[in-house]
Amino acid sequence: MNKIDTYWQQYCELEGLSNIRYTEAFQFGEKADWLASLVVTGTKTATCSSYPLYELEGDPLPKVGDYQIVLNSQDEPVAIIKTYSIEIYPFNEVPVDFALAEGEGTYDEWKEAHIAFFGRLLPEYDLVFSEEMLTVCDRFEKVYPK
C-alpha cells in the first residue's frame, strides 16, 4: 500500500468509515507547500478551478461529499478535505467571501494571483483566460488531521 492509501486508511479507521473512497489526491496550484499549509491550519477552506479544463479533459466536476487528499510538493499527504459546496461562477463574479475563503490574502491579491495563474496554465491547453471564464468554486472542510 502506498503512503497516500495508508493515510486514507488511517483516517477511515479513526472515523469508523468503510467502503468509502477518496476522489483524488492532488497538489494545490503552483505553491503546493504554502497552499497545503493553509489547509492544514484551517485558513484555506475553498478553491476554484477552470471549468473549461474539466470540459476539455472530460473530467467530472467535484461533488458535494467528495473526499480529497491534499499533497505537499513531495506528493506526501498532509490533509483530507471534504467538499460541502460546489458553485459555478464567471471569474469576474466570484463572490468576495469565496475569494477570501481561499486564504491567500485580500480579494485584490486573490484576483491578481488567479489571473496570473490561469494566464500561465490555460495556454498549455490552447485556451485563453478571460474574466468571463466559468470557474468551479469548491468549498470544503478539513476533516483530517483534526
Side-chain angles (χ1 to χ4, degrees):
M1 187 178 303
N2 67 39
K3 59 188 166 189
I4 295 169
D5 289 334
T6 299
Y7 192 79
W8 175 250
Q9 189 63 38
Q10 290 170 340
Y11 170 70
C12 289
E13 288 173 9
L14 183 69
E15 295 296 321
L17 301 174
S18 60
N19 298 322
I20 295 178
R21 290 289 302 155
Y22 60 91
T23 307
E24 67 175 330
F26 71 100
Q27 295 178 7
F28 276 111
E30 297 170 320
K31 300 176 182 174
D33 291 327
W34 178 61
L35 295 171
S37 74
L38 293 177
V39 172
V40 170
T41 63
T43 303
K44 182 174 182 63
T45 59
T47 191
C48 77
S49 51
S50 168
Y51 185 89
L53 286 181
Y54 286 97
E55 290 183 312
L56 184 69
E57 295 182 345
D59 290 336
L61 292 176
K63 299 183 298 300
V64 171
D66 280 354
Y67 289 92
Q68 298 170 311
I69 299 176
V70 178
L71 306 175
N72 65 17
S73 64
Q74 304 301 307
D75 285 333
E76 297 166 336
V78 297
I80 297 173
I81 58 176
K82 184 178 180 182
T83 296
Y84 68 84
S85 172
I86 296 289
E87 296 175 307
I88 310 293
Y89 294 103
F91 179 81
N92 60 2
E93 294 179 25
V94 171
V96 172
D97 72 306
F98 180 89
L100 296 177
E102 287 214 45
E104 300 172 34
T106 67
Y107 176 78
D108 287 338
E109 290 168 331
W110 171 87
K111 186 175 181 181
E112 182 180 311
H114 283 75
I115 288 172
F117 173 71
F118 289 135
R120 287 187 298 275
L121 175 67
L122 294 175
E124 296 175 19
Y125 299 89
D126 293 324
L127 297 172
V128 177
F129 172 77
S130 82
E131 291 205 21
E132 292 75 34
M133 175 190 78
L134 292 179
T135 57
V136 179
C137 295
D138 181 340
R139 292 182 188 261
F140 57 81
E141 63 176 326
K142 179 186 70 158
V143 296
Y144 185 74
K146 299 223 180 231

